[in-house]
Amino acid sequence: MDVECLRLTGKMSKRQKVHDIDLKALGVPPPTNPSWWAVWSEELGAEQSFDSLNCAASVEEKALILLTKIADGTAASVSRIELRDSKAEALRHPVQPLWRPSLSRGAVEKETDWAAFRKSDDLRDMIAFFDQCQSPSDFFERFHDSLSLTPEDKSAPGNFIPLRVHLDLMGKIFRVINQYASLDQSNPAKPQILYDGQPVSTLRAAVGGLLGTKDEHVAGKWVFRIVKCYVRFSPTIVRLQDLNIFELRRRRIEEVVKNQNALGNVETQPYAVLFHTDDFLCLFLPKENHLSLRSILRPLWEKDLWIEYEELEAEFNLLTSAGERTYKSLQQKYQTTGARRFIKLRYNVVGPDLNPAINPPLCDLCQQRPGQEYIKDQVREWLCGCCREIRQMGEPAGVYAKWEEERFAAAWLKVSLDQELLLSCLQRLFEAYVENGPGMNQVSTEDKQRLKQGFRPLAAQMEFVREYDEFLHELGESLRSLRGPSGEPFLSEGLSLLFPINRYRELAIIQLRDSAILGTVLDAFAERLRFRFPECLEDCPIRLSLSVGNPKHPINEHWDFFSRPQEAGMALCLQQPGIREIAMTIAQYTALREKIVGEHLAHFLHRLTGLEQKAGELNALAEALKRRQRFPQIHELMIFHRLGLRKILDFHRLIGPSARQAEKLHA
């Protein structure tokens, strides 16, 4: 059952009554695909038994209509909150991403053909395709562009979710429900659908009442789970071979993703990976007694990876992607009203099976299992089987070891996305949209406040992660195409630009053959960030960490720097290990690049650097203030951009036009 196709026609049926269209007049034969009956989901009331639908579908097909209705409502409830009884404006333009609304506005100005159909021929072709479509991938490939620009709900502020994301989410939820639900026709006069021993025949019985309505006290019988998994590793990165842990983690996460389709039936799956990155998974699951989380995550923990997770188990209408906030608000409501709905929030860890007894010598890298002697380059180590396996996966970035002979420094680059900071950023962006976005002028202050408190960010998070993946690809292409002042290429992939781990684009190593390379690399990152996520810069959840040193410098010091917790907005973090560190916002970086120019300023900064090293930062600050008439740039950076003198000087040492990286970093 290609439920995404028919949910799209269900969307159409709200406005155009697709199931009332005279298909014969269009020259379209009656559909034979049973999923066509999903268009009747809009006609199924919350209290109406599924078998009472007035259509020619069989009882089995009518049961699927109810499951489609549940999946569609759940996809909406976990990812946004609806404006009920309000006067939000229905907007006639494409989706408005919270982090880049101008792109969609540009599509309108150019009259981009983003609608799925505009005339009867388009509708006829689409219906014919639906009747033959066999897989979700075929559907999304055919309508990707239209679905990406069409909002899931045209009423503000629901129009920031692409219909493509909603249909993807809904289809994944449907297939899991369909796997565990079964039709009970023991009483032909009253067929029911069973899940976890709980029979239902209506939508309300399955999902319960919606919060904020008169029916919010009605409990739903069916309980499922949303689980957010953070995948960690224990081994310390000491040698280049230890970088293979990223490849191992990626492969194992891909195995978890692949296993969701292990049944080989496109209509059902035991669990759904709603979205994932190289260190994160978001899952939709049945109750534990049907499928344990540990069994799903076996590919990870059996290779000594650890999974920290947040699990929300609840009735369908209580499942949200803002689990902690929903749980706390319901607890407060319970205390005042005495009402009871089923919802549980858990935080826990899934890890490898470890021997409770400690038997030395322990593995030097992971400190989890007994190690065996391992000697390489006349260095003796004790490694467990898993860490030894990582070492034996290959020699990443073999050319890196030769850079020491060429006497050039190296810059390690690590891009990262913090999921918790992303949720905070999306909340701020949504609140700004509620206050000032198009179509919100008719919404009351009370409704706006309720919207802010009830925001559910899952669909926006899914779309952001998809764009983050595109951002990484674009950044890699930008690094490959960097040019010097006379147009010569700065970097050559495989020689002076290395992506040490196959298909892992968050980590790169650059040979600093030219003093201008660092600034050019940072410019490329800032440019792509401004293009993809212009509204996220003030509390940016994406960070570029850059660590500069001799190729022989211990790798673990680079990685320790990369592993530090991210700070909202600090999109650039630079270090020369043991010497200097700089954390900056994109605005601060832009100001530094614009202000620190000119030969005379470079000489003055060089003098300040020497004074700061000899007499301390306070004396250097006094000298900078004394000369602020001649060099007002330093004063402006300190006052208007909140940059300390030490940070300005450190930036000049690393990035400034007079810096000679390749020579000084070996001193």
Side-chain angles (χ1 to χ4, degrees):
M1 174 174 179
D2 186 19
V3 71
E4 290 91 347
C5 287
L6 274 301
R7 185 63 197 112
L8 178 56
T9 51
K11 284 285 180 186
M12 291 154 47
S13 72
K14 285 184 178 180
R15 299 177 292 275
Q16 298 162 305
K17 298 296 182 184
V18 172
H19 50 281
D20 291 335
I21 291 176
D22 186 351
L23 298 180
K24 185 179 295 186
L26 285 174
V28 178
T32 58
N33 189 323
S35 64
W36 176 261
W37 300 114
V39 299
W40 265 265
S41 64
E42 293 300 329
E43 305 299 314
L44 183 62
E47 302 289 352
Q48 180 183 1
S49 177
F50 68 90
D51 65 308
S52 68
L53 277 170
N54 184 26
C55 63
S58 65
V59 174
E60 290 81 3
E61 290 164 344
K62 289 179 179 180
L64 293 177
I65 291 174
L66 176 57
L67 299 187
T68 301
K69 184 80 170 181
I70 293 172
D72 180 46
T74 303
S77 68
V78 301
S79 57
R80 59 172 171 82
I81 188 167
E82 297 181 9
L83 270 174
R84 302 186 187 93
D85 303 321
S86 68
K87 296 181 179 179
E89 181 182 347
L91 303 173
R92 296 181 179 275
H93 54 59
V95 67
Q96 300 286 301
L98 293 174
W99 49 87
R100 196 177 69 254
S102 60
L103 182 67
S104 290
R105 287 199 292 268
V108 177
E109 293 167 2
K110 296 177 182 178
E111 297 182 354
T112 301
D113 186 9
W114 53 273
F117 62 93
R118 291 179 177 270
K119 51 186 183 293
S120 58
D121 286 346
D122 295 336
L123 179 59
R124 180 171 55 249
D125 292 343
M126 186 166 65
I127 292 175
F129 173 80
F130 288 171
D131 196 32
Q132 300 172 5
C133 184
Q134 298 298 315
S135 71
S137 59
D138 292 343
F139 167 73
F140 286 116
E141 181 178 353
R142 172 74 176 266
F143 296 106
H144 179 274
D145 293 342
S146 296
L147 294 175
S148 296
L149 288 171
T150 302
E152 187 268 329
D153 188 331
K154 289 188 177 180
S155 296
N159 60 336
F160 65 91
I161 302 299
L163 184 55
R164 171 182 46 77
V165 177
H166 175 78
L167 293 178
D168 181 34
L169 184 57
M170 190 237 11
K172 291 174 178 177
I173 292 172
F174 169 84
R175 282 183 276 277
V176 176
I177 301 173
N178 196 30
Q179 165 67 19
Y180 296 98
S182 60
L183 180 62
D184 178 11
Q185 299 189 72
S186 56
N187 181 358
K190 190 179 180 181
Q192 294 183 306
I193 307 176
L194 283 171
Y195 161 69
D196 195 41
Q198 299 294 323
V200 303
S201 60
T202 67
L203 177 69
R204 182 65 48 78
V207 305
L210 286 167
L211 296 180
T213 70
K214 64 179 181 180
D215 298 318
E216 68 178 1
H217 65 282
V218 178
K221 292 184 177 181
W222 288 5
V223 173
F224 278 74
R225 296 178 287 165
I226 289 180
V227 187
K228 301 175 184 178
C229 304
Y230 301 84
V231 185
R232 320 290 192 192
F233 57 81
S234 297
T236 303
I237 296 177
V238 176
R239 295 176 178 266
L240 278 174
Q241 300 99 307
D242 298 330
L243 295 175
N244 290 319
I245 186 66
F246 297 109
E247 173 72 7
L248 176 68
R249 183 174 64 180
R250 182 186 60 77
R251 289 180 186 176
R252 290 290 161 161
I253 287 178
E254 287 182 351
E255 188 171 341
V256 174
V257 175
K258 180 181 177 182
N259 288 346
Q260 69 182 327
N261 300 315
L263 299 177
N265 184 350
V266 74
E267 297 183 9
T268 60
Q269 56 190 59
Y271 63 92
V273 179
L274 302 182
F275 73 96
H276 71 283
T277 67
D278 283 311
D279 59 5
F280 182 83
L281 289 157
C282 184
L283 309 173
F284 177 74
L285 311 170
K287 294 179 67 175
E288 183 77 12
N289 59 302
H290 293 279
L291 184 64
S292 73
L293 180 62
R294 185 172 180 83
S295 66
I296 293 173
L297 300 177
R298 172 179 290 275
L300 299 171
W301 59 257
E302 70 180 2
K303 289 299 181 180
D304 279 10
L305 294 166
W306 292 81
I307 305 95
E308 301 172 11
Y309 68 89
E310 174 192 292
E311 179 183 63
L312 181 68
E313 184 178 24
E315 304 166 25
F316 270 120
N317 269 343
L318 301 183
L319 275 178
T320 76
S321 51
E324 183 176 5
R325 186 174 60 204
T326 302
Y327 181 76
K328 288 181 178 179
S329 66
L330 282 175
Q331 292 300 308
Q332 294 173 355
K333 186 171 292 188
Y334 292 162
Q335 293 173 6
T336 57
T337 66
R340 284 292 180 267
R341 301 283 298 275
F342 184 86
I343 182 170
K344 291 185 178 180
L345 184 67
R346 307 181 185 93
Y347 296 91
N348 213 329
V349 176
V350 171
D353 294 321
L354 300 178
N355 192 327
I358 299 177
N359 299 312
L362 286 179
C363 174
D364 289 335
L365 298 185
C366 69
Q367 297 287 296
Q368 292 183 165
R369 302 182 186 278
Q372 296 181 340
E373 189 177 51
Y374 179 86
I375 300 176
K376 183 175 181 179
D377 299 332
Q378 299 181 340
V379 176
R380 176 178 298 176
E381 298 172 285
W382 297 88
L383 303 181
C384 67
C386 283
C387 291
R388 184 186 294 265
E389 179 183 340
I390 292 170
R391 286 273 177 94
Q392 294 172 345
M393 286 175 64
E395 295 279 349
V399 71
Y400 176 75
K402 300 178 181 179
W403 290 0
E404 169 66 15
E405 301 172 5
E406 300 175 6
R407 299 191 60 79
F408 286 110
W412 287 66
L413 280 68
K414 176 68 174 68
V415 184
S416 52
L417 170 63
D418 188 292
Q419 295 293 334
E420 294 303 315
L421 293 181
L422 172 57
L423 294 179
S424 298
C425 179
L426 291 175
Q427 180 71 39
R428 177 189 64 80
L429 293 174
F430 180 74
E431 291 182 2
Y433 187 103
V434 168
E435 285 295 333
N436 304 305
M440 295 303 297
N441 57 324
Q442 299 180 34
V443 180
S444 68
T445 301
E446 181 181 354
D447 271 343
K448 287 183 177 181
Q449 187 60 30
R450 183 173 60 81
L451 280 167
K452 295 175 185 178
Q453 294 174 351
F455 176 52
R456 300 165 181 182
L458 179 60
Q461 189 178 10
M462 290 173 64
E463 183 66 0
F464 190 100
V465 166
R466 186 193 67 80
E467 287 213 33
Y468 173 69
D469 190 58
E470 293 183 355
F471 164 80
L472 291 175
H473 175 76
E474 293 168 356
L475 178 62
E477 292 301 311
S478 295
L479 295 180
R480 295 181 183 95
S481 61
L482 289 179
R483 293 289 185 270
S486 59
E488 73 281 4
F490 259 151
L491 303 172
S492 175
E493 186 169 3
L495 296 176
S496 55
L497 171 63
L498 306 175
F499 292 93
I501 303 300
N502 180 39
R503 294 171 58 192
Y504 183 67
R505 291 174 291 180
E506 291 186 336
L507 182 66
I509 314 173
I510 291 175
Q511 188 181 52
L512 299 179
R513 290 176 171 269
D514 190 293
S515 61
I517 289 179
L518 277 182
T520 309
V521 167
L522 296 178
D523 288 344
F525 174 81
E527 178 186 354
R528 300 317 305 167
L529 200 63
R530 290 190 197 99
F531 172 76
R532 277 283 173 183
F533 311 106
E535 301 299 321
C536 298
L537 301 183
E538 70 177 65
D539 52 357
C540 186
I542 299 173
R543 180 180 72 181
L544 172 64
S545 300
L546 188 149
S547 185
V548 181
N550 186 291
K552 286 293 186 179
H553 195 88
I555 296 174
N556 63 297
E557 291 196 21
H558 297 305
W559 185 250
D560 288 345
F561 178 64
F562 298 154
S563 302
R564 295 179 188 176
Q566 288 185 215
E567 184 179 350
M570 293 299 173
L572 292 168
C573 294
L574 318 179
Q575 80 154 354
Q576 189 178 349
I579 301 175
R580 56 184 59 90
E581 291 184 14
I582 313 169
M584 297 171 288
T585 66
I586 292 295
Q588 288 174 329
Y589 171 75
T590 303
L592 284 165
R593 289 290 276 173
E594 291 176 351
K595 299 294 182 182
I596 301 183
V597 293
E599 183 179 353
H600 294 295
L601 178 60
H603 287 311
F604 181 60
L605 287 172
H606 183 70
R607 284 178 49 204
L608 284 181
T609 298
L611 181 61
E612 188 260 347
Q613 291 174 339
K614 293 179 181 179
E617 185 176 359
L618 287 178
N619 286 290
L621 177 60
E623 180 66 16
L625 292 175
K626 180 180 176 181
R627 302 292 299 276
R628 66 178 179 272
Q629 294 293 333
R630 170 135 188 205
F631 301 108
Q633 303 98 314
I634 298 176
H635 190 250
E636 291 175 16
L637 289 170
M638 295 172 65
I639 299 300
F640 299 111
H641 298 281
R642 300 182 180 180
L643 289 162
L645 181 62
R646 172 71 63 84
K647 186 174 288 189
I648 296 171
L649 295 178
D650 282 346
F651 181 88
H652 174 67
R653 291 178 184 121
L654 281 172
I655 312 296
S658 65
R660 299 190 178 278
Q661 300 297 130
E663 299 173 4
K664 290 187 176 182
L665 289 172
H666 287 278

